[in-house]
Amino acid sequence: MKKKIILFVLLLSGLQINAQAKVLKSVNEAGDVATFELDCTVKFQTLAKGLRYNITRHEFKGPEMKNSYRLLLVMDGFYSKTLNKEMTISAVLSDGTVIEARKIIEDDGFFDGACTLKIKDPKALLEANIDKVIVHADKEVVYTLSEQNKAIFKKNLNNIIIAK
């Protein structure tokens, strides 16, 4: 019985480590732009093995200004020598939608492993799952997401959307 309790406590603590992040809020000096982002001061959230992320929302004052959402992807240890001067990073959603960004390669010819994707419709991203992230370079690198990471991503995205 004691072994089962210890195992249960360890399982719960493991889930807490991978749980959703807090949302940090900051406002610029003029007070017209608020920024909401995941707390990555300790560590980035994990999307897949070797792929971490942060979500940021910029909220602009005024009726004509819309919120902008960005998904920062960081690939651990990804320093690919590429043949061209740019590469494409794609997030493939379960409904077939592809969110894409082009990254200009640094002067030394290496990709540093970080890329920002613009999220045009965050509510649609809540409805669909990101199934995989593909880095198109000299070879394609595919990151496949687990169900647990998809659920945590959705919670984090929702927290960014509703943050005040």
Side-chain angles (χ1 to χ4, degrees):
M1 183 65 175
K2 287 182 183 180
K3 287 182 181 180
K4 288 183 182 179
I5 293 172
I6 291 171
L7 184 62
F8 182 71
V9 169
L10 288 174
L11 178 66
L12 284 179
S13 65
L15 290 176
Q16 283 297 85
I17 291 171
N18 291 326
Q20 63 200 38
K22 293 188 318 183
V23 175
L24 301 177
K25 177 184 178 180
S26 61
V27 179
N28 71 344
E29 289 180 21
D32 59 349
V33 180
T35 300
F36 302 91
E37 63 183 338
L38 299 179
D39 182 4
C40 294
T41 55
V42 176
K43 72 172 199 157
F44 278 89
Q45 294 289 297
T46 301
L47 202 53
K49 183 179 179 184
L51 181 64
R52 302 189 188 287
Y53 71 95
N54 192 2
I55 306 168
T56 305
R57 178 181 109 214
H58 296 288
E59 183 178 281
F60 301 95
K61 260 191 179 175
E64 72 283 349
M65 301 297 272
K66 295 175 108 176
N67 290 338
S68 71
Y69 293 82
R70 305 234 188 296
L71 173 62
L72 170 68
L73 298 174
V74 180
M75 296 114 210
D76 295 340
F78 193 96
Y79 297 96
S80 174
K81 180 82 170 156
T82 61
L83 300 175
N84 15 5
K85 292 291 180 193
E86 67 180 27
M87 68 178 19
T88 305
I89 292 85
S90 306
V92 181
L93 307 184
S94 57
D95 66 359
T97 305
V98 176
I99 302 172
E100 216 172 58
R102 294 197 182 278
K103 176 79 174 164
I104 306 273
I105 306 304
E106 296 177 10
D107 292 336
D108 61 4
F110 286 90
F111 171 58
D112 63 2
C115 180
T116 302
L117 301 175
K118 293 178 184 175
I119 303 171
K120 293 181 182 173
D121 188 357
K123 293 191 189 231
L125 187 53
L126 275 179
E127 298 296 321
N129 284 320
I130 297 177
D131 285 335
K132 58 187 170 183
V133 173
I134 305 170
V135 179
H136 308 274
D138 51 343
K139 60 179 180 174
E140 283 194 356
V141 178
V142 179
Y143 296 94
T144 306
L145 282 63
S146 70
E147 292 301 319
Q148 178 185 5
N149 288 345
K150 289 178 188 179
I152 293 171
F153 176 81
K154 281 188 172 193
K155 288 178 186 176
N156 284 329
L157 178 59
N158 188 51
N159 288 342
I160 292 291
I161 291 171
I162 64 172
K164 299 223 182 264

